């Protein structure tokens, strides 16, 4: 049973602290992503992309930081909007339960593992680049759906409530479908899938 799990039956004072710190961590991540996005798209020549996006060629030159920094870069406004929308909607459910430390650990674990899978799948495509927090967001979506599966959720374009677990599946399907149909690198959707898996394991 879910109530038997340690994170669902902590001391009320610790739960309050976790809720506060988790929400602050969530807002911090969203703000950091938007700040980096505006810097990224204001700089001439997209210099941040060449230095910090994930690329096989870069990692082969021991630029290991790219596995982390790529999580804060986005290809366009639609890309960051949908990622941050998903992060906020599902993060407001997961972050208060997990607290800041575990929420951030989930975010970076899912995101980096997704990037690692993309890296190996694109070993023979050294100049492809990967941007975005999609893998991290996928992990948070699945984690929230596992912790609170039956919470009813309302969306503007759906006139009836959906259970969180159903909404999570719909959102993940749309993300992966969008990635497959619009990406120059078709294997980039695998970063979403491994992020999703990391959320489940976490």
């Amino acid at each position: 049973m879910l109530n038997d799990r340690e994170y669902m039956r902590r001391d009320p004072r610790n739960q309050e602290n976790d809720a506060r710190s988790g929400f602050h961590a969530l807002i911090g991540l969203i703000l950091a992503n938007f700040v980096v996005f505006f810097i990224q798209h204001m700089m001439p020549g997209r210099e941040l992309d060449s230095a910090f996006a994930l690329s096989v060629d870069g990692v082969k030159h021991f630029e290991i930081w790219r596995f982390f920094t790529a999580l804060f870069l986005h290809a366009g406004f639609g890309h960051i909007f949908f990622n941050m929308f998903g992060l906020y909607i599902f993060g407001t459910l997961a972050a208060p339960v997990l607290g800041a430390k575990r929420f951030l650990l989930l975010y970076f674990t899912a995101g980096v593992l997704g990037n690692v899978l993309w890296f190996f799948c694109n070993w023979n495509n050294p100049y492809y680049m990967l941007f975005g927090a999609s893998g991290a967001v996928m992990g948070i979506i699945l984690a929230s759906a596992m912790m609170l599966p039956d919470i009813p959720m309302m969306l503007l374009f759906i006139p009836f409530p959906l259970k969180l677990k159903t909404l999570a599946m719909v959102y993940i399907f749309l993300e992966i479908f969008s990635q497959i149909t619009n990406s120059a690198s078709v294997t980039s959707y695998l970063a979403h899938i491994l992020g999703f898996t990391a959320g489940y394991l976490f």
Side-chain angles (χ1 to χ4, degrees):
M1 295 294 293
L2 190 62
N3 289 335
D4 294 332
R5 301 180 189 181
E6 183 274 334
Y7 57 73
M8 296 299 289
R9 50 182 174 81
R10 294 190 300 276
D11 183 281
R13 290 170 296 181
N14 291 336
Q15 288 181 328
E16 184 178 348
N17 290 335
D18 283 350
R20 187 183 305 110
S21 68
F23 184 75
H24 290 165
L26 169 64
I27 297 303
L29 282 174
I30 293 172
L31 290 175
N33 272 278
F34 274 112
V35 167
V36 172
F37 175 79
F38 286 118
I39 295 173
Q40 174 190 3
H41 290 269
M42 287 174 59
M43 293 184 69
R46 302 291 292 270
E47 295 176 17
L48 286 187
D49 294 6
S50 60
F52 297 108
L54 180 59
S55 70
V56 173
D57 184 63
V59 174
K60 285 181 177 179
H61 286 86
F62 304 103
E63 296 171 356
I64 304 300
W65 63 81
R66 291 175 180 267
F67 287 113
F68 297 90
T69 55
L71 298 176
F72 293 93
L73 300 174
H74 289 84
F77 183 77
H79 189 199
I80 191 172
F81 174 80
F82 283 108
N83 271 347
M84 294 303 103
F85 178 76
L87 178 58
Y88 179 78
I89 294 298
F90 295 96
T92 52
L93 300 172
V97 176
L98 295 174
K101 290 181 180 179
R102 286 183 292 183
F103 180 72
L104 292 173
L105 180 61
L106 169 61
Y107 180 89
F108 286 108
T109 298
V112 170
L113 285 178
N115 286 353
V116 168
L117 178 61
W118 179 90
F119 168 76
F120 284 112
C121 288
N122 281 280
W123 184 264
N124 295 319
N125 301 310
Y127 301 111
Y128 280 174
M129 287 188 175
L130 182 68
F131 309 87
S134 299
V137 174
M138 288 296 171
I140 288 167
I141 289 174
L142 188 63
S144 67
M146 289 181 67
M147 289 186 288
L148 304 164
D150 296 321
I151 285 183
M153 303 285 288
M154 291 293 298
L155 294 179
L156 291 176
F157 52 87
I158 298 179
F160 52 86
L162 294 175
K163 290 184 178 181
L164 177 57
K165 60 187 178 184
T166 304
L167 180 60
M169 293 301 102
V170 170
Y171 193 92
I172 289 167
F173 171 80
L174 291 174
E175 274 276 347
I176 294 174
F177 178 79
S178 175
Q179 188 69 40
I180 293 173
T181 56
N182 292 293
S183 175
S185 170
V186 295
T187 56
S188 58
Y189 76 93
L190 292 173
H192 298 197
I193 293 175
L194 194 57
F196 175 92
T197 305
Y200 171 80
L201 295 174
F202 189 92

